[in-house]
């Protein structure tokens, strides 16, 4: 077997399409010959730096997106549900503290990064719960099986210069790859990097990796 | 066999993703149990009305789009190539006269709609040729097999009020005020008496799922061998 190809996933838990991309990509972890590197980064930072704006700011696009997310959630089998107050939760409250918390985990306990990311998405994009308060972050960590002392330690580190810098670096690295939104997958193929934006380029990604696309729920399609 | 489901495709030949969507959808014409209705529209009008913006106006997005189109063209097997001066051709010159001509066909000779649309895309999005001059439009019509006198006659009608209003009406979906277009290609699928909007060229797998049909990839004839 040839060396696994590296796929870097840049994501922010404020982004519902990032959740879809995250779950689908991880389902292929042991199906494709790939190494997946998770990079928490700030969507707000990427938007600001590139002059991009959230799709929901165009009303018709926002209406479509709500419908699209609902349909994709069913098709991708990810339990996504709109928060009751989208603008307040997604645009106003945002995800800065959550993404700092994930960055602290990435730096000191990366084995919990996948699980805590998923639990944060569950809160904001499925259960209509807060992800900005310390208590909310601790709840997500607990559900992901992170021992309380480690979670507390990550929480206390999250406003440290090291963590802030690391999150900034993750975001800048994304920008260097040409990222303008999330999720973004950077695939390293034959010593070249290829950027795939969104949760709808998996079939094309598979084609470029020389792998087979088995749909968004590959385990089911193999039965 | 149950009644065919109706899919309406809203497109503009200025849009390269519309070309990809058009070709892929038409490949499924005889594979899925569907009727495809082609609806030429004017993308610049939809974008300005909805407050949307052309993706290429964000530099990183534009750079990505060019790369994405190149990869999608190869994967979808559509001979798409960027015009040498994208902004001039796509943003400045645009497609108004071409889409009016296509609308004239839709009204009086719909049998040529598919062929002429494809020839216009070939000009602007493959051969780096003009689609705004009368001569360019006649060339496309000729390649699609329209007799010259007919093409000239249609061309003379493209600034008539009927054509102008039809082009506008095409994108205003009367049967469902809930469907609002903001870009192209857009597919409106009529499923169980409910219209559903699918935007872009990357929702075919989802569309298939909703139709209860099988997605065989962007080049289904090949995958059936």
């Amino acid at each position: 077997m040839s060396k696994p190809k590296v796929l870097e996933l840049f994501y922010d838990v404020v982004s519902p399409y990032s959740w879809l991309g995250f779950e689908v990509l991880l389902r292929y972890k042991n199906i494709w010959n790939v190494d997946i590197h998770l990079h928490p980064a700030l969507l707000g930072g990427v938007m600001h730096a590139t002059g991009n704006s959230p799709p929901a700011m165009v009303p018709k696009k926002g209406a479509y997106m709500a419908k699209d997310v609902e349909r994709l959630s069913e098709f991708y089998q990810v339990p996504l549900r709109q928060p009751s107050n989208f603008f307040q939760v997604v645009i106003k409250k945002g995800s800065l503290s959550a993404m700092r918390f994930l960055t602290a985990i990435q730096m000191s306990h990366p084995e919990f990064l996948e699980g805590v990311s998923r639990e944060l998405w569950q809160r904001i994009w499925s259960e209509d719960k807060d992800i900005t308060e310390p208590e909310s972050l601790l709840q997500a960590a607990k559900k992901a099986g992170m021992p309380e002392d480690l979670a507390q330690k990550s929480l206390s580190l999250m406003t440290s210069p090291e963590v802030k810098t690391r999150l900034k670096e993750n975001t800048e690295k994304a920008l260097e790859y040409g990222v303008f939104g999330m999720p973004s997958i950077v695939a390293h193929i034959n010593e070249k990097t290829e950027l795939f934006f969104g949760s709808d380029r998996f079939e094309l990604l598979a084609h470029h990796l020389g792998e087979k696309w088995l749909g968004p729920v590959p385990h089911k399609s193999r039965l | 066999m149950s009644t065919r489901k109706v899919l309406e495709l809203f497109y503009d030949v200025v849009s390269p993703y519309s070309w990809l969507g058009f070709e892929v959808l038409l490949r499924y014409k005889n594979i899925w149990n569907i009727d495809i209705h082609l609806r030429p529209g004017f993308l610049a009008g939809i974008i300005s009305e909805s407050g949307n913006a052309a993706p290429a106006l964000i530099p990183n997005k534009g750079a990505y789009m060019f790369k994405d189109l190149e990869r999608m063209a190869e994967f979808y097997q559509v001979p798409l190539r960027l015009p040498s001066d994208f902004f001039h051709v796509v943003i400045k010159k645009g497609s108004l006269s071409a889409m009016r001509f296509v609308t004239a066909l839709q009204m009086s000779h719909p049998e040529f709609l598919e062929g002429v649309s494809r020839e216009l895309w070939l000009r602007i999005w493959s051969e780096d040729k003009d689609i705004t001059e009368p001569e360019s439009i006649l060339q496309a019509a000729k390649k699609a097999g329209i007799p010259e006198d007919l093409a000239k006659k249609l061309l003379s009608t493209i600034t008539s009020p009927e054509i102008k209003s039809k082009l506008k009406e095409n994108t205003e979906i009367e049967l469902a005020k809930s469907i609002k277009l903001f870009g192209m290609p857009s597919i409106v699928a009529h499923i169980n008496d409910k219209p559903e909007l699918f935007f872009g060229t990357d929702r075919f797998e989802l569309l298939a799922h909703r139709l209860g049909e099988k997605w065989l990839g962007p080049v289904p004839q090949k995958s059936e061998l």
Side-chain angles (χ1 to χ4, degrees), chain A residues 7-13 18-19 22-23 26 29 36-41 97-122 137 140-147 150-151 154 163 166-167 170:
Chain A
L7 302 182
E8 303 187 69
L9 174 70
F10 294 90
Y11 67 97
D12 186 324
V13 296
S18 288
W19 192 12
F22 172 92
E23 295 297 353
L26 288 172
K29 188 165 66 174
I36 298 169
H37 297 186
L38 299 177
H39 297 297
S97 56
M99 295 314 289
R100 282 185 179 155
F101 185 58
L102 287 178
T103 305
I105 291 172
Q106 181 192 27
M107 291 172 76
S108 50
H109 300 284
E111 67 276 21
F112 292 112
L113 184 56
E114 177 183 333
V116 179
S117 299
R118 182 175 291 117
E119 293 303 330
L120 287 168
W121 268 307
Q122 286 275 6
L137 302 177
K142 189 180 172 188
K143 280 216 168 169
M146 200 171 178
L150 296 187
S154 294
V163 168
R166 176 60 183 268
L167 180 56
N170 282 352

Side-chain angles (χ1 to χ4, degrees), chain A:
Chain A
M1 199 182 221
S2 60
K3 235 175 102 201
K5 296 194 175 85
V6 170
L7 302 182
E8 303 187 69
L9 174 70
F10 294 90
Y11 67 97
D12 186 324
V13 296
V14 83
S15 149
Y17 288 105
S18 288
W19 192 12
L20 296 171
F22 172 92
E23 295 297 353
V24 172
L25 189 59
L26 288 172
R27 288 172 192 161
Y28 279 88
K29 188 165 66 174
N30 299 315
I31 299 176
W32 292 345
N33 186 26
V34 291
D35 264 341
I36 298 169
H37 297 186
L38 299 177
H39 297 297
L42 272 185
L43 181 56
V46 165
M47 293 276 181
H48 182 75
T50 57
N52 202 357
S53 59
M57 301 308 283
V58 174
K60 289 178 185 177
K61 223 191 241 185
Y64 173 73
M65 207 185 89
K67 180 74 193 167
D68 187 49
V69 162
E70 186 188 315
R71 287 187 309 215
L72 283 174
S73 153
E74 182 259 328
F75 184 44
Y76 281 28
Q77 296 187 24
V78 174
L80 236 157
R81 279 203 324 229
Q82 294 280 337
S84 51
N85 188 343
F86 177 86
F87 277 89
Q88 166 74 13
V89 167
V90 173
I91 310 286
K92 277 193 77 179
K93 287 172 74 179
S95 59
L96 182 60
S97 56
M99 295 314 289
R100 282 185 179 155
F101 185 58
L102 287 178
T103 305
I105 291 172
Q106 181 192 27
M107 291 172 76
S108 50
H109 300 284
E111 67 276 21
F112 292 112
L113 184 56
E114 177 183 333
V116 179
S117 299
R118 182 175 291 117
E119 293 303 330
L120 287 168
W121 268 307
Q122 286 275 6
R123 291 184 69 86
I124 179 172
W125 273 106
S126 190
E127 297 162 3
D128 205 6
K129 287 182 183 158
D130 172 80
I131 58 159
T132 64
E133 300 296 331
E135 190 47 44
S136 309
L137 302 177
L138 289 176
Q139 283 285 338
K142 189 180 172 188
K143 280 216 168 169
M146 200 171 178
E148 203 182 337
D149 55 330
L150 296 187
Q152 289 282 3
K153 197 161 156 264
S154 294
L155 195 64
S156 67
L157 278 174
M158 68 182 228
T159 49
S160 69
E162 291 74 22
V163 168
K164 287 184 181 178
T165 305
R166 176 60 183 268
L167 180 56
K168 209 164 164 242
E169 281 169 1
N170 282 352
T171 308
E172 277 162 7
K173 196 170 166 205
L175 288 166
E176 278 165 30
Y177 283 125
V179 166
F180 55 90
M182 291 183 187
S184 283
I185 295 171
V186 174
H188 296 263
I189 301 168
N190 302 328
E191 293 173 43
K192 266 182 57 190
T193 58
E194 299 243 10
L195 172 62
F196 297 87
F197 168 67
S199 51
D200 45 37
R201 288 293 181 276
F202 283 110
E203 193 175 15
L204 179 67
L205 171 63
H207 175 68
H208 277 260
L209 291 170
E211 299 279 1
K212 216 173 141 89
W213 171 243
L214 304 164
V217 191
H219 306 279
K220 197 181 69 178
S221 65
R222 286 159 111 204
L223 294 180

Side-chain angles (χ1 to χ4, degrees), chain B residues 142-197:
Chain B
K142 190 180 172 188
K143 281 213 167 170
I146 300 187
E148 201 181 338
D149 53 338
L150 177 59
K152 283 192 166 155
K153 194 174 141 242
L154 290 168
L155 192 62
S156 71
T157 68
I158 71 172
T159 50
S160 70
E162 291 74 25
I163 304 282
K164 286 184 183 179
S165 64
K166 175 73 176 175
L167 178 58
K168 200 160 181 302
E169 277 165 27
N170 266 346
T171 51
E172 289 164 1
I173 316 209
E174 292 300 329
L175 15 124
K177 292 290 182 197
S178 60
I179 301 267
K180 310 262 193 235
L181 303 184
F182 56 90
M184 289 182 181
S186 285
I187 294 171
V188 174
H190 298 268
I191 302 169
N192 303 328
D193 292 313
K194 261 186 60 191
E196 286 204 38
L197 172 62

